Amino acid sequence: TIKKTDLKASKFFNAVMRNYLDNNIKQQQLDKLKNLKKLEQYSIKYSYPLDILKLLYNQYHDKFITLLDTSLQEVNSFRINYLKTTKIEIEEYLNNLNIEYKIIDNDCLLTKESLINTEIFKQGKILPQDYSSIKVSQVVDPKPKQLGLDCCGAPGGKSMHMATIMNNEGSIITGDIHE
């Protein structure tokens, strides 16, 4: 596909890949890793700062590798927009497409598959939002007709979620350090 977009770039890409394969760069890098201490190897493998890994290792020695392996699992996180749909509708839609999913805390939809090309995404029935952001709005638990303030509001996902929880009845003032 890169060839169709930019022939010159595709030639450069192919040259880099040939060099990589011809010179056995991957094996050279793996050999260098073997000379490092275990935590240093994990730091590179899992892309965590060494200090954080030392802390995790000291606190969760038994479950250390399990924690790291879990962090590598790709998961797509979406918020169900209850102003436009129901949990049952989302479940039926995903079941009909044989898409594996999990719904956490009633609002957060997790899947390994991307849903950005689905009708439920295009219709705004689900919105991309991280579970940690979804949880913030749930903990705040704003009520209809209330006034809310979101001081770290960019790009606006938590504010929109709070508005949904309030059934679009109330006001939220949203600001951020960045315009």
Side-chain angles (χ1 to χ4, degrees), residues 106-172:
N106 202 45
D107 286 342
C108 183
L109 170 66
L110 302 174
T111 78
K112 289 195 177 195
E113 292 186 46
S114 173
L115 299 177
I116 62 171
N117 291 316
T118 62
E119 286 304 309
I120 57 174
F121 181 82
K122 291 175 185 173
Q123 295 169 0
K125 293 178 179 181
I126 59 169
L127 305 160
Q129 189 169 357
D130 188 69
Y131 175 64
S132 60
S133 294
I134 293 170
K135 194 70 181 165
V136 168
S137 301
Q138 290 175 334
V139 168
V140 171
D141 193 27
K143 304 296 182 223
K145 310 253 191 252
Q146 283 186 331
L147 173 64
L149 176 63
D150 186 352
C151 295
C152 299
K158 289 183 293 291
S159 294
M160 289 191 312
H161 187 203
M162 286 188 278
T164 301
I165 293 170
M166 296 165 69
N167 201 31
N168 278 346
E169 297 174 9
S171 298
I172 299 171

Side-chain angles (χ1 to χ4, degrees), residues 27-156:
Q27 190 57 49
Q28 292 172 14
Q29 297 303 320
L30 289 173
D31 291 342
K32 285 181 186 178
L33 276 177
K34 289 177 186 174
N35 296 329
L36 298 174
K37 294 177 183 174
K38 276 290 183 199
L39 282 181
E40 291 171 333
Q41 290 178 20
Y42 294 144
S43 175
I44 293 168
K45 180 179 179 180
Y46 294 102
S47 298
Y48 277 99
L50 189 56
D51 291 340
I52 299 288
L53 287 185
K54 287 178 183 176
L55 181 68
L56 286 173
Y57 183 77
N58 289 333
Q59 292 181 0
Y60 302 100
H61 186 74
D62 320 3
K63 299 177 184 177
F64 179 68
I65 296 298
T66 306
L67 287 170
L68 295 177
D69 284 339
T70 302
S71 73
L72 282 183
Q73 296 174 358
E74 265 190 56
V75 176
N76 296 292
S77 178
F78 299 90
R79 175 174 54 83
I80 300 172
N81 182 357
Y82 286 112
L83 295 176
K84 293 189 172 191
T85 191
T86 64
K87 182 178 175 183
I88 292 170
E89 181 183 3
I90 296 299
E91 289 173 332
E92 287 175 355
Y93 181 86
L94 296 173
N95 288 336
N96 286 338
L97 292 177
N98 292 319
I99 294 176
E100 288 186 41
Y101 65 91
K102 186 176 188 178
I103 297 177
I104 300 175
D105 289 343
N106 202 45
D107 286 342
C108 183
L109 170 66
L110 302 174
T111 78
K112 289 195 177 195
E113 292 186 46
S114 173
L115 299 177
I116 62 171
N117 291 316
T118 62
E119 286 304 309
I120 57 174
F121 181 82
K122 291 175 185 173
Q123 295 169 0
K125 293 178 179 181
I126 59 169
L127 305 160
Q129 189 169 357
D130 188 69
Y131 175 64
S132 60
S133 294
I134 293 170
K135 194 70 181 165
V136 168
S137 301
Q138 290 175 334
V139 168
V140 171
D141 193 27
K143 304 296 182 223
K145 310 253 191 252
Q146 283 186 331
L147 173 64
L149 176 63
D150 186 352
C151 295
C152 299

Side-chain angles (χ1 to χ4, degrees), residues 14-32:
N14 287 333
V16 170
M17 293 307 293
R18 271 192 305 279
N19 185 38
Y20 176 80
L21 294 172
D22 293 345
N23 294 319
N24 206 6
I25 292 173
K26 180 179 181 184
Q27 190 57 49
Q28 292 172 14
Q29 297 303 320
L30 289 173
D31 291 342
K32 285 181 186 178

